[in-house]
Amino acid sequence: MTYEQLVVLHAIVTEGTFRGAAERLYKSQSAISHMIKKLEEEIDITLLSREGYRPKLTPAGEIFYRQSTRVIQQMQELGHLAKRLNAKQEASVCLTVTATYPIKPFLDIIAEVKEEFSMTSVRLTRETMGGPLERLLNKEANIIIATLDDVPVDRVEAVPFAEITILPVAHPEYPPAISANLKTITEMQSYTQVVVSDSSSGHFEQSRDLLPGGLRWTVSDFAAKKEILLSKMGWGGMPKHLVDEELNKGQLIELNVEGYPPRKSQLYMMRLRDSEIGFVAQDIWNKLLSVSEKYS
């Protein structure tokens, strides 16, 4: 039994399919199947039922999986302990946060860190869609706050951080908003959907909540998007915290669109597993862990 086999099992359960696990771990589907089969043969337990469309944990597999997640966590902690023992105060640390999450919660943390580690430059950057992940995998960011979309779980440590709500909204005088009746996708295709562009270079490009076949206006950030919505020039999904004031004042209202209900988005704090961890990056990580529930 190897650590890699446990990671593969975790990926299959998380992704729901062998193909999804293969894509997540950048391995072939046959390699994934072979590793799980070999693990089952070694421990003489059938972990996954292959009878349905999706693999499902057997009763024994459920118990084994729960324990294996603890082992993975312990292995990660052991690795980080070893890295911390060799840690050095770094010249700079970069924290990249998805643009869908408020930046204010991080300011107190950065202020504390800058006071404790005055020789280290701390940078806080904002990215959209696949931007945070690209920065992390390119080692341009030490820690990111983002969704788990396309994250290679074998390379990245991810801890739940907060949950945000995305609402489809428009100005109350924008045609689809005048009536509270459900608008079909066909009806909405004649109205402009305002979307925020992906800040990644393309390799990690992501897209969410795009209306198929509809008119589209792409902008670079949520501030510009909100101004367009307030100007009655389109509709689109917005993080609830960014439009709470406008919703309360009636300047924007929530739309009732087929296939576009309010969406809960889980955010994670992430860092690379195999990267050297300095004192400052570790301190920021610990502070984020201590306040993650508070920010949720």
Side-chain angles (χ1 to χ4, degrees), residues 92-110:
S92 66
V93 172
C94 179
L95 171 63
T96 298
V97 181
T98 176
T100 58
Y101 196 75
I103 205 167
K104 189 177 185 301
F106 303 100
L107 300 183
D108 290 342
I109 290 177
I110 291 177

Side-chain angles (χ1 to χ4, degrees), residues 8 58 150 164 174:
V8 167
T58 63
D150 301 324
I164 59 169
Y174 193 62

Side-chain angles (χ1 to χ4, degrees), residues 189-262:
Q189 286 176 339
S190 60
Y191 300 105
T192 302
Q193 182 182 15
V194 186
V195 299
V196 175
S197 62
D198 191 320
S199 64
S200 71
S201 62
H203 184 68
F204 301 99
E205 187 174 2
Q206 300 171 3
S207 61
R208 302 185 190 98
D209 304 328
L210 297 180
L211 187 80
L215 300 174
R216 196 171 298 160
W217 185 348
T218 303
V219 296
S220 62
D221 56 68
F222 282 103
K225 181 174 182 175
K226 184 162 73 171
E227 288 301 318
I228 294 171
L229 300 182
L230 289 169
S231 298
K232 314 174 194 177
M233 301 177 71
W235 71 280
M238 289 289 291
K240 185 177 181 296
H241 68 272
L242 290 180
V243 292
D244 270 336
E245 182 178 348
E246 289 76 15
L247 289 171
N248 291 334
K249 291 180 178 179
Q251 297 171 335
L252 292 173
I253 65 172
E254 185 177 342
L255 294 179
N256 186 10
V257 180
E258 176 190 3
Y260 289 81

